[in-house]
Amino acid sequence: MWKTNPYNYSRRPTSEVLIGTLKMGGSNPIRLQSMANTNTNDIENSITQCQRIVEAGADLVRLTTQGMKEVDSLRIIRDNVHNKGFNIPFVADVHFNAYVANYAAQHLEKVRINPGNYVSSIKTTSPNKYTDEEYEEEFKKIESRFVEFLKICKIHNTAVRIGVNHGSLSERMLLKWGNTARGMVESCLEFLKICKAQDFSNLVISMKASNTVQMIQAVRLLVERMEKEDYHFPIHLGVTEAGDGEDGRIKSAVGIGGLLAEGIGDTIRVSLSEEPEAEIPVATLLRDYITARSKNKKTIQLKSENPVTIKPFTRRSTFQVKNFGGENLPQVIAKPCNHPTLKADYLLKNNSIINSKGKKHPIYLFDNLPKQNNQEILFLRTHYDELNSELIALLKKNSNIVLLIDANAENPVGEHRAFIHTLMAEKVKNPVVVVGKYNENDLEALQIKASADLGIIFVDGLADAIMIENEGTISNEDILSTSFGILQGARARISKTEFISCPGCGRTHFNLQKVIARVKAKTSHLTGLKIGIMGCIVNGPGEMADADYGYVGGGRGTVMLYKKQECIKKGVPEEKAVDELIELIKKYGDWKEPSF
């Protein structure tokens, strides 16, 4: 039975799935995909966009299919793209309608269904509650409809993705498990058991959320449960509603990159609120950066014989040394710069760390630490290869030492984890600064690599501060923004407004990118507020489950405005919707005037 190794890269063994002529899982490369955001019935524009996606390097493309007409349109799009020499599989994305899924399965290479939408409700004896018998009765109805679908897929050699989204679980699952990672996994396992009983294995699984912690937790739990059940289906990774620009890239790399580094994932989709072809270079860089670790010959391991209890998503217990550790938020150390809205907690200059009052603290190495330790705080820079009994003994005697941990480029996640887990095993509670060292001239590359390396460390609560060093031409302002972005993407520290925005698809009836830009321009100063901007009602309210406010597409030209999960206004004309959103924020006391 496979078990993830937290320190050394090893890809999880999975069964091979055939999607048209494309092989996924097994020993095949991690496949890249995107989803068109055109109206599926706009055949010419969809063909053009799909061609751009494929030319960017995608292995497969997905389009929304709300009804039978969209399935027929998708067939035409697929055939035209194939006739142009791009022989890749096409995926029908189906919500709510089982009959559409059955029809699509007869004509497309793959169908994506959402268990949360694949329901067959029954009348319960009590609202908001299911008896055990009613819970099972509804499952039997779901099973009947799903088995019919699987039989069609078998006849036509159609692959299936069971795509579970946080926020779109069925009422039956929500009432039993809550809107949790456990609920997502239980919803999926129910369908997997049906597939197993029907001897259907041409299957891919996804667990998606806009919250990276929720997404990582759900995927890890699913893999653990699947291993126990002897299921080896390939995993599709993605962070939904990641947003655009810097935020979208960082958030995606934190979630997807963190799991890829653990060997989990057979296909990835980076969901950006941009043109879909822009997703593929990000996915390519992320995949290639992580999988290069398979060539690393160095074995990384815990440097302690003591047992250690690892509790993911729980902050490591440390001493408080000034602003580091204890109950303090993770700190940011960065070189001096003039960022318009962000300010580092500590400055890095001339091999010293300077606090907010201008006091300099030298960065020491193990060999030149002062003999007399009478300072409030000492910064010691070290790395995994130096971690030994002598260093551990020093730390146990000096609770005022803050560690700056470097890592080799071959496997920074493994080295950082092994170092910090060793400290935990040895009951060493000194605060830790994880250092990311890069040589990049391209900002996107830095954002993706640093987020994949450092984000998962903060998701799991292992570090107390972040410090990114880059020898390339990227500005100190951009490095500072990336540092804060990683902490926000890992849900460790909120320093700016968070925008939860979907990438758009054929169900979106407005220009999503323009709306996002307008909402950001008006609300980006509302630090700590979470605003969802969703193209349609299908996943909108569910996927922005964490949002404080929501802007969700209704019918053509109209918008629905939400306060958390409650729809406050319907039918708002699109041209007035941003102003109405601001009025809603003001009404509930969360507005403040911008200072710029």
Side-chain angles (χ1 to χ4, degrees):
M1 182 179 293
W2 178 84
K3 186 176 182 181
T4 182
N5 184 317
Y7 315 124
N8 301 286
Y9 177 80
S10 174
R11 189 169 161 194
R12 170 180 171 256
T14 59
S15 53
E16 187 175 84
V17 169
L18 191 63
I19 308 166
T21 59
L22 180 74
K23 294 179 179 179
M24 180 183 292
S27 60
N28 296 291
I30 295 170
R31 302 300 187 181
L32 310 179
Q33 57 182 287
S34 183
M35 183 173 182
N37 61 16
T38 51
N39 184 324
T40 308
N41 293 321
D42 183 353
I43 292 172
E44 288 304 316
N45 279 332
S46 294
I47 291 169
T48 302
Q49 187 178 81
C50 289
Q51 185 173 334
R52 292 200 305 269
I53 294 170
V54 179
E55 288 173 337
D59 297 302
L60 61 164
V61 179
R62 178 162 49 112
L63 286 89
T64 184
T65 50
Q66 302 98 301
M68 307 296 191
K69 182 180 179 181
E70 284 78 11
V71 175
D72 290 335
S73 295
L74 179 49
R75 291 168 62 194
I76 297 170
I77 294 164
R78 186 267 316 273
D79 291 344
N80 272 271
V81 172
H82 283 184
N83 289 337
K84 291 175 181 287
F86 302 102
N87 189 27
I88 68 159
F90 278 71
V91 185
D93 190 78
V94 180
H95 281 273
F96 301 119
N97 197 325
Y99 298 107
V100 173
N102 292 350
Y103 186 56
Q106 300 172 51
H107 301 289
L108 279 305
E109 294 92 330
K110 184 179 177 183
V111 178
R112 181 265 172 154
I113 60 134
N114 184 338
N117 301 143
Y118 218 95
V119 296
S120 184
S121 298
I122 62 168
K123 187 174 181 179
T124 58
T125 55
S126 173
N128 302 321
K129 188 176 181 181
Y130 280 76
T131 65
D132 290 342
E133 292 76 16
E134 289 167 343
Y135 187 88
E136 186 63 22
E137 180 186 347
E138 185 166 316
F139 169 71
K140 291 296 183 185
K141 289 193 173 187
I142 292 170
E143 182 181 34
S144 175
R145 298 171 74 195
F146 190 54
V147 166
E148 180 185 357
F149 169 68
L150 292 180
K151 288 179 178 178
I152 295 170
C153 291
K154 275 188 175 183
I155 292 170
H156 294 274
N157 297 316
T158 306
V160 175
R161 171 157 70 95
I162 296 178
V164 184
N165 282 4
H166 175 235
S168 62
L169 297 178
S170 68
E171 181 184 40
R172 173 172 161 271
M173 284 291 162
L174 286 172
L175 290 175
K176 184 163 186 178
W177 305 106
N179 196 14
T180 62
R182 174 75 184 275
M184 293 172 68
V185 170
E186 295 295 340
S187 178
C188 181
L189 286 173
E190 203 170 61
F191 279 70
L192 294 187
K193 288 175 182 176
I194 298 173
C195 291
K196 195 75 170 179
Q198 294 298 312
D199 194 28
F200 184 86
S201 58
N202 207 23
L203 193 63
V204 181
I205 316 297
S206 67
M207 298 269 131
K208 291 191 176 184
S210 62
N211 180 325
T212 55
V213 176
Q214 185 89 10
M215 172 257 193
I216 292 168
Q217 187 177 20
V219 173
R220 284 175 174 170
L221 180 58
L222 175 70
V223 169
E224 179 184 324
R225 294 285 296 277
M226 286 206 301
E227 290 298 314
K228 288 180 180 177
E229 297 288 342
D230 199 29
Y231 298 161
H232 306 288
F233 304 115
I235 298 289
H236 168 127
L237 295 180
V239 177
T240 57
E241 286 72 49
D244 63 353
E246 176 186 76
D247 293 341
R249 283 155 178 78
I250 289 175
K251 199 171 182 181
S252 295
V254 169
I256 298 171
L259 288 167
L260 285 179
E262 295 173 12
I264 298 171
D266 302 276
T267 178
I268 60 178
R269 191 265 170 114
V270 173
S271 299
L272 300 177
S273 301
E274 302 174 18
E275 291 305 307
E277 60 267 26
E279 298 176 350
I280 303 302
V282 177
T284 302
L285 196 160
L286 185 54
R287 175 195 63 186
D288 294 349
Y289 180 60
I290 299 296
T291 55
R293 292 170 193 178
S294 62
K295 301 174 184 177
N296 184 26
K297 303 301 181 184
K298 180 181 180 181
T299 300
I300 302 169
Q301 60 188 6
L302 204 68
K303 293 187 175 182
S304 173
E305 296 181 358
N306 297 332
V308 58
T309 301
I310 308 299
K311 295 181 179 179
F313 320 111
T314 303
R315 183 88 178 266
R316 170 181 167 246
S317 176
T318 62
F319 299 127
Q320 178 174 330
V321 185
K322 302 302 283 184
N323 294 337
F324 294 91
E327 299 298 319
N328 289 303
L329 290 170
Q331 301 291 286
V332 173
I333 303 173
K335 290 182 179 180
C337 66
N338 294 307
H339 194 283
T341 58
L342 298 171
K343 184 179 180 181
D345 302 294
Y346 289 82
L347 296 179
L348 175 65
K349 189 175 182 181
N350 297 329
N351 202 40
S352 292
I353 291 176
I354 307 170
N355 68 17
S356 59
K357 296 180 180 179
K359 185 175 180 178
K360 287 186 178 182
H361 299 278
I363 299 175
Y364 296 102
L365 301 179
F366 182 77
D367 292 336
N368 69 355
L369 270 173
K371 302 294 182 184
Q372 296 297 320
N373 183 0
N374 55 4
Q375 300 181 39
E376 291 181 303
I377 184 170
L378 281 173
F379 291 99
L380 171 60
R381 189 159 189 167
T382 185
H383 53 84
Y384 169 79
D385 291 339
E386 288 187 341
L387 182 56
N388 55 29
S389 57
E390 191 178 357
L391 175 57
I392 290 170
L394 173 75
L395 295 172
K396 286 182 175 180
K397 292 179 181 178
N398 295 275
S399 60
N400 64 332
I401 291 178
V402 174
L403 291 165
L404 280 69
I405 303 178
D406 288 315
N408 291 319
E410 289 77 12
N411 188 356
V413 174
E415 289 198 3
H416 280 139
R417 270 207 185 116
F419 196 117
I420 299 168
H421 285 173
T422 298
L423 297 182
M424 295 167 68
E426 293 292 330
K427 295 183 169 42
V428 174
K429 293 193 172 186
N430 298 70
V432 164
V433 181
V434 284
V435 180
K437 296 175 68 176
Y438 304 95
N439 186 3
E440 301 292 338
N441 296 321
D442 179 70
L443 177 58
E444 182 177 82
L446 177 71
Q447 290 168 343
I448 293 165
K449 291 179 179 181
S451 300
D453 291 338
L454 306 178
I456 193 67
I457 303 300
F458 288 96
V459 167
D460 283 334
L462 297 177
D464 304 285
I466 186 171
M467 187 171 93
I468 297 175
E469 295 181 310
N470 186 61
E471 294 182 6
T473 57
I474 296 168
S475 72
N476 292 339
E477 286 79 5
D478 283 330
I479 293 172
L480 178 68
S481 185
T482 299
S483 300
F484 276 105
I486 291 170
L487 295 181
Q488 180 139 335
R491 317 292 285 195
R493 177 176 176 177
I494 305 301
S495 56
K496 51 188 175 181
T497 315
E498 181 167 353
F499 297 97
I500 304 168
S501 60
C502 72
C505 66
R507 297 184 295 262
T508 304
H509 295 311
F510 57 84
N511 188 313
L512 190 65
Q513 293 173 42
K514 287 185 178 179
V515 168
I516 292 169
R518 288 174 59 205
V519 173
K520 281 188 170 184
K522 297 275 190 177
T523 62
S524 60
H525 64 289
L526 301 174
T527 302
L529 211 62
K530 296 188 283 291
I531 299 175
I533 309 163
M534 313 300 292
C536 72
I537 194 66
V538 171
N539 280 329
E543 288 302 331
M544 60 177 197
D546 289 336
D548 300 297
Y549 296 91
Y551 179 116
V552 179
R556 289 192 179 276
T558 65
V559 172
M560 297 177 288
L561 299 178
Y562 281 73
K563 168 63 175 160
K564 293 192 178 294
Q565 291 293 286
E566 182 182 359
C567 182
I568 304 297
K569 289 188 175 183
K570 294 182 179 179
V572 180
E574 186 185 336
E575 61 273 14
K576 296 181 179 179
V578 175
D579 290 335
E580 292 278 353
L581 174 65
I582 291 169
E583 289 304 313
L584 189 66
I585 295 171
K586 289 180 178 178
K587 176 182 176 181
Y588 285 92
D590 291 320
W591 180 262
K592 61 182 179 182
E593 293 299 326
S595 59
F596 47 85

